[in-house]
Amino acid sequence: MTAARQAPAPAAAVTESPGSGPLVRPRVRPEFVLPAVVVAFFVLIALWPELIASQDPTLAQPRERLLPPSAEHLFGTDSIGRDQFARVAHGTLPSLRAGLIAVSIGLVGGGLLGLVSGFSRGPLDLAIARLCDALLAIPGLLMALAFLTAIGSGVTVAACAIGIAQMPVFARVMRAEVKRVSALPYTEAAAAAGVGPVATAVRHVLPNSWGPVLALAALECGQAILILSSLSYLGFGEPPPAPEWGALIAAGQSYLAVQWWLAVLPGVVLAAMVIAITRLGHAARRNDR
């Protein structure tokens, strides 16, 4: 005689959501490693630029102006003799900091909007959805330019404007995830057992909805850094001699025909960081599935 089959779990057991149980070790995909290493390197350089660039990024040496890349000046020197590699290294922190400010505003504001919209029904949900659609119709660069024109130039102002422009993107993803998780059996069982909506949101919905939203945050961070560099390129960043990647590319553009490295090498560094952050977001999203 075969052993009796194990009795099914009682219905009360389904009230425990996957996010409220024991921690499960996430799967790490190979494509996650290289972008993570590159992003970690940029974070280290942002916090400690002297690790790779010992020269003063604001020190002008007119006798050494427009020198080509060499062992002493890896990226050459600019039009007044400043070391271009040191300026690129010290420009990492403003770019990362502004990108994090923008993503934090978009994540918190958009996440709250999506959470309220996902739990609500009727006019409130419809109003939030239409508000997100209206904000999505305005490009982030255009909204940032409008804020900078009205308030004044500066990386922090631009980062706040980009964060507001990113809020509807986070809100739509959070709203979809909240509605998806709210329809799962353990959430419905928790509501049927008398658990309040706030407790249901904190214990069951939010822990199982943050994965795609956090993966989106990495993607939006790369886009925010790219938009901020574009604004700096247009002259809306910090005033000179602050080393910003967009401003370095704009200054080197005048010498593109003869000293191409002044514009190309900062652009390569900018592209490398944006691609690494974007690839990290894609890998995190695939790892979450």
CSV table of all heavy atoms in Angstrom, one decimal, residues 13 16 18 40 84 96 105 112 129 138 150 171 197 219:
chain,number,residue,atom,x,y,z
A,13,ALA,N,-3.7,29.3,5.3
A,13,ALA,CA,-2.3,29.4,5.0
A,13,ALA,C,-2.0,30.3,3.8
A,13,ALA,O,-0.9,30.9,3.6
A,13,ALA,CB,-1.7,28.0,4.7
A,16,GLU,N,-0.6,34.2,3.8
A,16,GLU,CA,0.8,34.6,3.8
A,16,GLU,C,1.3,34.8,2.4
A,16,GLU,O,1.3,33.9,1.6
A,16,GLU,CB,1.7,33.5,4.5
A,16,GLU,CG,1.4,33.4,6.0
A,16,GLU,CD,1.8,34.7,6.8
A,16,GLU,OE1,2.7,35.4,6.3
A,16,GLU,OE2,1.1,35.0,7.8
A,18,PRO,N,4.1,35.8,-0.6
A,18,PRO,CA,5.5,35.4,-0.8
A,18,PRO,C,6.5,36.4,-0.1
A,18,PRO,O,7.5,36.0,0.3
A,18,PRO,CB,5.7,35.4,-2.3
A,18,PRO,CG,4.3,35.1,-2.8
A,18,PRO,CD,3.4,35.8,-1.8
A,40,ALA,N,29.6,50.2,-9.8
A,40,ALA,CA,30.3,50.3,-8.5
A,40,ALA,C,31.6,51.1,-8.7
A,40,ALA,O,32.0,51.8,-7.8
A,40,ALA,CB,30.6,48.9,-8.0
A,84,GLN,N,42.2,67.3,-18.3
A,84,GLN,CA,40.8,66.9,-18.7
A,84,GLN,C,40.4,65.6,-18.0
A,84,GLN,O,39.2,65.4,-17.6
A,84,GLN,CB,40.8,66.6,-20.2
A,84,GLN,CG,39.4,66.4,-20.8
A,84,GLN,CD,38.6,67.6,-20.9
A,84,GLN,OE1,38.8,68.7,-20.3
A,84,GLN,NE2,37.5,67.6,-21.8
A,96,LEU,N,26.0,61.7,-10.9
A,96,LEU,CA,25.4,60.6,-10.1
A,96,LEU,C,24.4,61.2,-9.0
A,96,LEU,O,23.3,60.7,-8.8
A,96,LEU,CB,26.4,59.7,-9.4
A,96,LEU,CG,27.0,58.6,-10.3
A,96,LEU,CD1,28.1,57.9,-9.5
A,96,LEU,CD2,25.9,57.6,-10.7
A,105,ILE,N,12.9,61.5,-6.3
A,105,ILE,CA,11.6,62.2,-6.4
A,105,ILE,C,10.6,61.4,-7.2
A,105,ILE,O,9.4,61.3,-6.9
A,105,ILE,CB,11.9,63.6,-7.0
A,105,ILE,CG1,12.7,64.4,-6.1
A,105,ILE,CG2,10.6,64.3,-7.3
A,105,ILE,CD1,13.2,65.8,-6.7
A,112,LEU,N,3.8,56.6,-4.6
A,112,LEU,CA,2.6,57.0,-3.7
A,112,LEU,C,1.4,57.2,-4.6
A,112,LEU,O,0.3,56.7,-4.3
A,112,LEU,CB,2.9,58.2,-2.9
A,112,LEU,CG,3.9,58.1,-1.8
A,112,LEU,CD1,4.2,59.4,-1.1
A,112,LEU,CD2,3.4,57.0,-0.8
A,129,ALA,N,-4.9,58.5,-13.2
A,129,ALA,CA,-4.5,58.0,-14.5
A,129,ALA,C,-4.5,59.1,-15.5
A,129,ALA,O,-3.5,59.1,-16.3
A,129,ALA,CB,-5.5,56.9,-14.9
A,138,ILE,N,4.5,65.4,-21.8
A,138,ILE,CA,5.6,66.4,-21.7
A,138,ILE,C,6.9,65.8,-21.6
A,138,ILE,O,7.2,65.1,-20.6
A,138,ILE,CB,5.4,67.4,-20.6
A,138,ILE,CG1,3.9,68.0,-20.6
A,138,ILE,CG2,6.4,68.5,-20.6
A,138,ILE,CD1,3.6,68.9,-19.4
A,150,ALA,N,12.0,79.3,-15.4
A,150,ALA,CA,11.2,80.0,-14.4
A,150,ALA,C,11.9,80.2,-13.1
A,150,ALA,O,11.7,81.2,-12.5
A,150,ALA,CB,9.9,79.2,-14.2
A,171,ALA,N,4.4,55.9,-11.4
A,171,ALA,CA,3.0,55.7,-11.0
A,171,ALA,C,2.3,54.7,-11.8
A,171,ALA,O,1.5,53.8,-11.2
A,171,ALA,CB,2.3,57.1,-11.0
A,197,PRO,N,-7.2,47.5,5.1
A,197,PRO,CA,-6.5,47.8,3.8
A,197,PRO,C,-5.1,48.3,4.0
A,197,PRO,O,-4.2,48.0,3.2
A,197,PRO,CB,-7.4,48.9,3.2
A,197,PRO,CG,-8.2,49.5,4.3
A,197,PRO,CD,-8.4,48.3,5.3
A,219,LEU,N,16.7,52.1,-14.7
A,219,LEU,CA,16.6,52.6,-16.1
A,219,LEU,C,16.4,54.1,-16.1
A,219,LEU,O,17.0,54.8,-16.9
A,219,LEU,CB,15.4,51.9,-16.8
A,219,LEU,CG,15.5,50.4,-16.9
A,219,LEU,CD1,14.2,49.8,-17.4
A,219,LEU,CD2,16.7,50.0,-17.7
